[in-house]
Amino acid sequence: MSTYSGPQTMIYQADPTSLHHVKKVRESMHGALKPYMNQKVKVTTIDGVSHEGCISGFDEGHLYLTVTTTSTDYMRSYYQPYYPPYQPYYPPYYPVYPGNVILPLVLYNLLALSLI
């Protein structure tokens, strides 16, 4: 809820025909993804970025891909504020080790999806 009481200016509104097309694409993506749950796939986005992993789920706007991280990927996670020397007064620091993480991808950014 906005507390601003002045006039509001519309910045963007989707064209009704484009909206109808996007909804049809979303429905077809759900139908195409459902049989391949928990299978290894390679996903390519419209920006040319590729990811390999296992389909762990999807909803109205996202595909959730379980990917295996490498030893350097964990450095892209959040900063740990309780790093030593503060351990006596704060919860212990648990380092992040490589493993599996879930990568959410926006369905509308997917260009290709193939089994591997």
Side-chain angles (χ1 to χ4, degrees):
M1 182 172 147
S2 174
T3 58
Y4 180 70
S5 61
Q8 296 180 359
T9 304
M10 179 70 66
I11 296 173
Y12 172 79
Q13 184 171 3
D15 179 43
T17 56
S18 298
L19 182 62
H20 179 70
H21 179 70
V22 168
K23 285 183 179 182
K24 284 177 52 179
V25 168
R26 180 173 65 186
E27 290 171 7
S28 69
M29 286 289 291
H30 283 183
L33 292 174
K34 192 175 268 188
Y36 299 105
M37 287 289 297
N38 300 317
Q39 295 204 17
K40 284 193 79 165
V41 294
K42 180 178 181 179
V43 177
T44 305
T45 66
I46 58 174
D47 299 322
V49 178
S50 294
H51 303 283
E52 290 185 5
C54 184
I55 298 176
S56 57
F58 57 91
D59 58 20
E60 290 92 18
H62 298 90
L63 167 69
Y64 299 100
L65 195 67
T66 302
V67 296
T68 303
T69 61
T70 61
S71 61
T72 59
D73 286 340
Y74 72 90
M75 297 182 75
R76 296 178 63 184
S77 62
Y78 292 107
Y79 168 71
Q80 172 54 274
Y82 303 119
Y83 191 77
Y86 306 109
Q87 279 191 1
Y89 308 104
Y90 294 99
Y93 170 70
Y94 297 105
V96 179
Y97 294 107
N100 290 336
V101 296
I102 295 179
L103 177 66
L105 298 169
V106 178
L107 285 177
Y108 307 116
N109 285 339
L110 303 184
L111 178 63
L113 194 116
S114 56
L115 290 173
I116 54 172

